[in-house]
PDB file of all heavy atoms in Angstrom:
ATOM      1  N   ASN A  19       8.120  -3.145 -15.349  1.00 76.00           N
ATOM      2  CA  ASN A  19       9.006  -2.944 -14.424  1.00 76.00           C
ATOM      3  C   ASN A  19       9.810  -1.642 -14.415  1.00 76.00           C
ATOM      4  O   ASN A  19       9.799  -0.895 -13.477  1.00 76.00           O
ATOM      5  CB  ASN A  19      10.056  -4.049 -14.350  1.00 76.00           C
ATOM      6  CG  ASN A  19       9.383  -5.472 -14.180  1.00 76.00           C
ATOM      7  OD1 ASN A  19       8.549  -5.538 -13.369  1.00 76.00           O
ATOM      8  ND2 ASN A  19       9.877  -6.478 -14.862  1.00 76.00           N
ATOM      9  N   SER A  20      10.321  -1.294 -15.593  1.00 80.00           N
ATOM     10  CA  SER A  20      11.134  -0.030 -15.697  1.00 80.00           C
ATOM     11  C   SER A  20      10.242   1.196 -15.488  1.00 80.00           C
ATOM     12  O   SER A  20      10.630   2.057 -14.704  1.00 80.00           O
ATOM     13  CB  SER A  20      11.903   0.009 -17.018  1.00 80.00           C
ATOM     14  OG  SER A  20      12.759  -1.047 -17.155  1.00 80.00           O
ATOM     15  N   VAL A  21       9.159   1.270 -16.109  1.00 83.00           N
ATOM     16  CA  VAL A  21       8.305   2.443 -16.047  1.00 83.00           C
ATOM     17  C   VAL A  21       7.731   2.576 -14.584  1.00 83.00           C
ATOM     18  O   VAL A  21       7.761   3.690 -13.969  1.00 83.00           O
ATOM     19  CB  VAL A  21       7.165   2.400 -17.108  1.00 83.00           C
ATOM     20  CG1 VAL A  21       6.175   3.558 -16.916  1.00 83.00           C
ATOM     21  CG2 VAL A  21       7.739   2.367 -18.417  1.00 83.00           C
ATOM     22  N   ALA A  23       8.952   1.330 -11.822  1.00 86.00           N
ATOM     23  CA  ALA A  23      10.048   1.634 -10.920  1.00 86.00           C
ATOM     24  C   ALA A  23      10.481   3.180 -11.065  1.00 86.00           C
ATOM     25  O   ALA A  23      10.702   3.807 -10.083  1.00 86.00           O
ATOM     26  CB  ALA A  23      11.203   0.766 -11.115  1.00 86.00           C
ATOM     27  N   GLY A  24      10.491   3.622 -12.256  1.00 86.00           N
ATOM     28  CA  GLY A  24      10.784   4.978 -12.508  1.00 86.00           C
ATOM     29  C   GLY A  24       9.782   5.977 -11.961  1.00 86.00           C
ATOM     30  O   GLY A  24      10.169   6.986 -11.306  1.00 86.00           O
ATOM     31  N   LEU A  27      10.252   5.843  -7.935  1.00 89.00           N
ATOM     32  CA  LEU A  27      11.409   6.582  -7.620  1.00 89.00           C
ATOM     33  C   LEU A  27      11.313   8.141  -7.743  1.00 89.00           C
ATOM     34  O   LEU A  27      11.788   8.884  -6.977  1.00 89.00           O
ATOM     35  CB  LEU A  27      12.735   6.061  -8.294  1.00 89.00           C
ATOM     36  CG  LEU A  27      13.143   4.713  -7.925  1.00 89.00           C
ATOM     37  CD1 LEU A  27      14.209   4.166  -8.870  1.00 89.00           C
ATOM     38  CD2 LEU A  27      13.646   4.609  -6.434  1.00 89.00           C
ATOM     39  N   ARG A  39      15.720   8.273 -15.305  1.00 89.00           N
ATOM     40  CA  ARG A  39      16.770   7.904 -14.369  1.00 89.00           C
ATOM     41  C   ARG A  39      16.204   6.746 -13.463  1.00 89.00           C
ATOM     42  O   ARG A  39      17.058   5.839 -13.122  1.00 89.00           O
ATOM     43  CB  ARG A  39      17.108   9.086 -13.463  1.00 89.00           C
ATOM     44  CG  ARG A  39      17.871  10.113 -14.264  1.00 89.00           C
ATOM     45  CD  ARG A  39      18.168  11.331 -13.393  1.00 89.00           C
ATOM     46  NE  ARG A  39      18.753  12.502 -14.023  1.00 89.00           N
ATOM     47  CZ  ARG A  39      18.981  13.719 -13.557  1.00 89.00           C
ATOM     48  NH1 ARG A  39      18.554  13.936 -12.355  1.00 89.00           N
ATOM     49  NH2 ARG A  39      19.537  14.604 -14.221  1.00 89.00           N
ATOM     50  N   GLY A  40      15.002   6.712 -13.045  1.00 88.00           N
ATOM     51  CA  GLY A  40      14.457   5.670 -12.316  1.00 88.00           C
ATOM     52  C   GLY A  40      14.529   4.378 -13.000  1.00 88.00           C
ATOM     53  O   GLY A  40      14.832   3.277 -12.440  1.00 88.00           O
ATOM     54  N   GLY A  41      14.159   4.391 -14.263  1.00 87.00           N
ATOM     55  CA  GLY A  41      14.255   3.189 -15.091  1.00 87.00           C
ATOM     56  C   GLY A  41      15.687   2.642 -15.213  1.00 87.00           C
ATOM     57  O   GLY A  41      15.911   1.394 -15.185  1.00 87.00           O
ATOM     58  N   TYR A  42      16.643   3.526 -15.340  1.00 89.00           N
ATOM     59  CA  TYR A  42      18.018   3.151 -15.397  1.00 89.00           C
ATOM     60  C   TYR A  42      18.451   2.449 -14.066  1.00 89.00           C
ATOM     61  O   TYR A  42      19.159   1.468 -14.067  1.00 89.00           O
ATOM     62  CB  TYR A  42      18.917   4.229 -15.682  1.00 89.00           C
ATOM     63  CG  TYR A  42      18.872   4.806 -17.063  1.00 89.00           C
ATOM     64  CD1 TYR A  42      18.951   6.167 -17.438  1.00 89.00           C
ATOM     65  CD2 TYR A  42      18.544   3.964 -18.220  1.00 89.00           C
ATOM     66  CE1 TYR A  42      18.870   6.621 -18.801  1.00 89.00           C
ATOM     67  CE2 TYR A  42      18.445   4.386 -19.480  1.00 89.00           C
ATOM     68  CZ  TYR A  42      18.621   5.748 -19.832  1.00 89.00           C
ATOM     69  OH  TYR A  42      18.496   6.135 -21.145  1.00 89.00           O
ATOM     70  N   ILE A  43      17.987   3.071 -12.942  1.00 90.00           N
ATOM     71  CA  ILE A  43      18.361   2.498 -11.689  1.00 90.00           C
ATOM     72  C   ILE A  43      17.753   1.126 -11.591  1.00 90.00           C
ATOM     73  O   ILE A  43      18.463   0.159 -10.999  1.00 90.00           O
ATOM     74  CB  ILE A  43      17.932   3.473 -10.560  1.00 90.00           C
ATOM     75  CG1 ILE A  43      18.754   4.781 -10.543  1.00 90.00           C
ATOM     76  CG2 ILE A  43      17.991   2.756  -9.238  1.00 90.00           C
ATOM     77  CD1 ILE A  43      18.107   5.763  -9.675  1.00 90.00           C
ATOM     78  N   ALA A  44      16.482   0.990 -11.991  1.00 87.00           N
ATOM     79  CA  ALA A  44      15.838  -0.363 -11.886  1.00 87.00           C
ATOM     80  C   ALA A  44      16.602  -1.361 -12.753  1.00 87.00           C
ATOM     81  O   ALA A  44      16.691  -2.633 -12.451  1.00 87.00           O
ATOM     82  CB  ALA A  44      14.362  -0.253 -12.374  1.00 87.00           C
ATOM     83  N   ALA A  45      17.115  -0.933 -13.939  1.00 85.00           N
ATOM     84  CA  ALA A  45      17.835  -1.836 -14.816  1.00 85.00           C
ATOM     85  C   ALA A  45      19.151  -2.366 -14.146  1.00 85.00           C
ATOM     86  O   ALA A  45      19.487  -3.474 -14.205  1.00 85.00           O
ATOM     87  CB  ALA A  45      18.143  -1.243 -16.076  1.00 85.00           C
ATOM     88  N   ILE A  46      19.821  -1.345 -13.475  1.00 90.00           N
ATOM     89  CA  ILE A  46      21.172  -1.654 -12.829  1.00 90.00           C
ATOM     90  C   ILE A  46      20.845  -2.648 -11.692  1.00 90.00           C
ATOM     91  O   ILE A  46      21.567  -3.684 -11.543  1.00 90.00           O
ATOM     92  CB  ILE A  46      21.784  -0.427 -12.337  1.00 90.00           C
ATOM     93  CG1 ILE A  46      22.241   0.437 -13.513  1.00 90.00           C
ATOM     94  CG2 ILE A  46      22.970  -0.717 -11.413  1.00 90.00           C
ATOM     95  CD1 ILE A  46      22.661   1.887 -13.145  1.00 90.00           C
ATOM     96  N   VAL A  47      19.799  -2.392 -10.907  1.00 88.00           N
ATOM     97  CA  VAL A  47      19.502  -3.308  -9.725  1.00 88.00           C
ATOM     98  C   VAL A  47      19.139  -4.651 -10.264  1.00 88.00           C
ATOM     99  O   VAL A  47      19.477  -5.689  -9.630  1.00 88.00           O
ATOM    100  CB  VAL A  47      18.457  -2.634  -8.840  1.00 88.00           C
ATOM    101  CG1 VAL A  47      17.938  -3.614  -7.754  1.00 88.00           C
ATOM    102  CG2 VAL A  47      18.948  -1.350  -8.282  1.00 88.00           C
ATOM    103  N   GLY A  48      18.316  -4.611 -11.331  1.00 83.00           N
ATOM    104  CA  GLY A  48      17.956  -5.863 -11.984  1.00 83.00           C
ATOM    105  C   GLY A  48      19.111  -6.803 -12.404  1.00 83.00           C
ATOM    106  O   GLY A  48      19.104  -7.955 -12.162  1.00 83.00           O
ATOM    107  N   PHE A  49      20.210  -6.200 -12.954  1.00 84.00           N
ATOM    108  CA  PHE A  49      21.321  -6.970 -13.295  1.00 84.00           C
ATOM    109  C   PHE A  49      22.148  -7.372 -11.961  1.00 84.00           C
ATOM    110  O   PHE A  49      22.778  -8.410 -11.974  1.00 84.00           O
ATOM    111  CB  PHE A  49      22.284  -6.152 -14.255  1.00 84.00           C
ATOM    112  CG  PHE A  49      21.714  -6.270 -15.620  1.00 84.00           C
ATOM    113  CD1 PHE A  49      21.110  -5.163 -16.231  1.00 84.00           C
ATOM    114  CD2 PHE A  49      21.955  -7.481 -16.393  1.00 84.00           C
ATOM    115  CE1 PHE A  49      20.689  -5.314 -17.614  1.00 84.00           C
ATOM    116  CE2 PHE A  49      21.516  -7.511 -17.695  1.00 84.00           C
ATOM    117  CZ  PHE A  49      20.920  -6.438 -18.252  1.00 84.00           C
TER     118      PHE A  49
END
Side-chain angles (χ1 to χ4, degrees):
N19 298 323
S20 296
V21 175
L27 290 172
R39 291 175 183 172
Y42 289 148
I43 293 172
I46 292 171
V47 173
F49 279 105

